[in-house]
Amino acid sequence: MRNSNATTVLQTKYPLVQAPMSWMTDANLVAAVSEAGGLGVLGLNAGQRDVTSSPEETANRMRQQIQLVKSKTTKPFGINIVAPRSGQSLSDAIFTDALLQMAYEENVTHFVVVGEAHEELFKQIKLHDGILIFRPSTPTIEQAQLAEKLGTDLLVATGSDEGGELPEQEAGTFTIVPAIVDAVNIPVLAAGGINDHRGVKAALALGAAGVYIGSRFLVTNESPMSDEVKKYVIRSNFDDLVRVSAIRRSLKTPAALRYADMYRIDPQKDTETLIRQHGGMRPGMLEADFNQGVISVNIGINEINEQSSVAELVESLMTDII
């Protein structure tokens, strides 16, 4: 029943959402996920290789990616939206506002919102008949219940097992998912360390209605991640991960080891800002520049042991799920 609820809301074959992952998505990956029966989602820097500081240019770049996805699939897909900070109006969040207005013009229907529950943003998306998937940066019962009250259609409960930006709390997927499931009356997607069919089955056993997967999609044929990095991930395991900031782990690139040393010596040092100043995930993961970049993946990396097409991956993940 929970699975069917999620697929009904998502309008997809499977209760599966591909996490946005900022730089690490593009139209090819997103269309492939949607064609395979999940929900593909364009990250904030989808399909890009360089940075823009212009809200208009950001929106135009995303429009091009949206139109390219539409040329490749008629299935539903979504875009990532970062919620304004607490107390900030939507009009003051100029990048978010520009992306939203463009998305409405392009008739985008699915919005994956990351951050804190934001009443003005949520109301606007719902007024445009959007399907709202909310991933709190740090999942709490309070945030989950507020998001439900504000009209969220699907909640994402993210454990500290995940890749990317980690929650502030250390609760793993097996802890946070049942806690959020028990606190709300809307479908919950499990996220964090889910890389194979066993992980999907475990998430459903915890009460999740589906799964929200990022790292595993990085090692697919359609992923924009560097082929060299894909091979690096496949031959690595969880012993090869180090903590490089308060909210991030990385494989042991030369850059990651430098950040890890700084963070270990002084946990109060803001190494995350340093990582972002040096390009965030782009140098290491898109360009395989290990001297400048980090490689952020989940701690279930042992289960990422081969590269396949998105269609093959989705089939293996979703076998016997519906």
Side-chain angles (χ1 to χ4, degrees):
M1 181 65 176
R2 282 173 173 153
N3 293 353
S4 63
N5 284 345
T7 54
T8 299
V9 172
L10 290 170
Q11 302 169 0
T12 56
K13 179 179 180 180
Y14 296 122
L16 167 65
V17 174
Q18 163 248 308
M21 300 184 291
S22 190
W23 295 96
M24 306 315 302
T25 61
D26 62 13
N28 288 330
L29 174 66
V30 168
V33 174
S34 292
E35 275 292 295
L39 184 78
V41 184
L42 292 165
L44 293 177
N45 293 297
Q48 305 308 313
R49 308 292 295 197
D50 56 17
V51 180
T52 175
S53 59
S54 162
E56 293 76 19
E57 177 65 16
T58 298
N60 286 334
R61 289 180 175 194
M62 182 64 78
R63 189 191 300 273
Q64 292 170 3
Q65 288 291 304
I66 288 169
Q67 292 175 351
L68 190 54
V69 174
K70 289 178 180 177
S71 75
K72 295 174 178 292
T73 184
T74 58
K75 305 283 180 64
F77 67 95
I79 69 168
N80 185 204
I81 295 293
V82 175
R85 298 186 304 273
S86 179
Q88 184 183 34
S89 71
L90 186 53
S91 60
D92 288 336
I94 54 177
F95 284 89
T96 294
D97 193 45
L99 282 171
L100 283 170
Q101 300 313 313
M102 175 278 303
Y104 302 146
E105 293 171 6
E106 291 293 330
N107 298 312
V108 172
T109 53
H110 292 62
F111 298 85
V112 175
V113 176
V114 175
E116 294 185 5
H118 190 279
E119 183 173 5
E120 182 186 8
L121 170 63
F122 285 21
K123 283 185 175 180
Q124 188 185 111
I125 289 174
K126 298 310 294 181
L127 282 172
H128 283 84
D129 297 321
I131 295 168
L132 176 53
I133 303 155
F134 177 52
R135 202 217 98 176
S137 297
T138 297
T140 65
I141 288 172
E142 292 74 19
Q143 274 286 298
Q145 291 176 337
L146 175 59
E148 180 181 18
K149 180 180 178 182
L150 295 177
T152 294
D153 296 294
L154 284 163
L155 266 169
V156 180
T158 308
S160 59
D161 318 62
E162 72 155 333
E165 296 182 13
L166 306 174
E168 291 180 3
Q169 37 83 340
E170 293 293 332
T173 303
F174 268 59
T175 300
I176 199 63
V177 170
I180 299 297
V181 166
D182 291 347
V184 296
N185 296 301
I186 55 177
V188 174
L189 304 177
I194 301 169
N195 292 326
D196 63 13
H197 182 64
R198 294 171 297 177
V200 175
K201 296 283 278 188
L204 300 182
L206 294 172
V211 289
Y212 179 98
I213 294 177
S215 295
R216 186 61 189 86
F217 280 108
L218 293 172
V219 187
T220 57
N221 300 341
E222 294 87 346
S223 163
M225 190 166 76
S226 161
D227 286 341
E228 185 177 349
V229 180
K230 292 175 187 178
K231 293 173 184 175
Y232 189 1
V233 171
I234 288 170
R235 67 175 183 262
S236 300
N237 58 55
F238 59 77
D239 291 328
D240 298 313
L241 290 165
V242 291
R243 193 70 173 251
V244 293
S245 78
I247 61 167
R248 196 176 304 279
R249 301 184 194 91
S250 170
L251 290 176
K252 294 175 181 177
T253 66
L257 291 172
R258 292 196 301 271
Y259 293 126
D261 283 343
M262 293 182 210
Y263 183 70
R264 183 174 60 253
I265 292 167
D266 180 9
Q268 301 305 310
K269 188 174 181 63
D270 187 6
T271 49
E272 182 63 25
T273 294
L274 291 176
I275 291 169
R276 293 180 184 185
Q277 288 172 347
H278 286 85
M281 300 300 99
R282 180 167 50 98
M285 299 178 78
L286 272 183
E287 301 166 3
D289 181 352
F290 300 153
N291 287 320
Q292 294 296 322
V294 299
I295 301 172
S296 183
V297 292
N298 70 40
I299 62 172
I301 188 173
N302 286 44
E303 286 78 57
I304 306 177
N305 47 38
E306 64 179 356
Q307 181 175 326
S308 66
S309 70
V310 163
E312 290 168 332
L313 173 60
V314 170
E315 182 178 2
S316 69
L317 290 169
M318 294 289 123
T319 301
D320 301 325
I321 295 303
I322 62 169

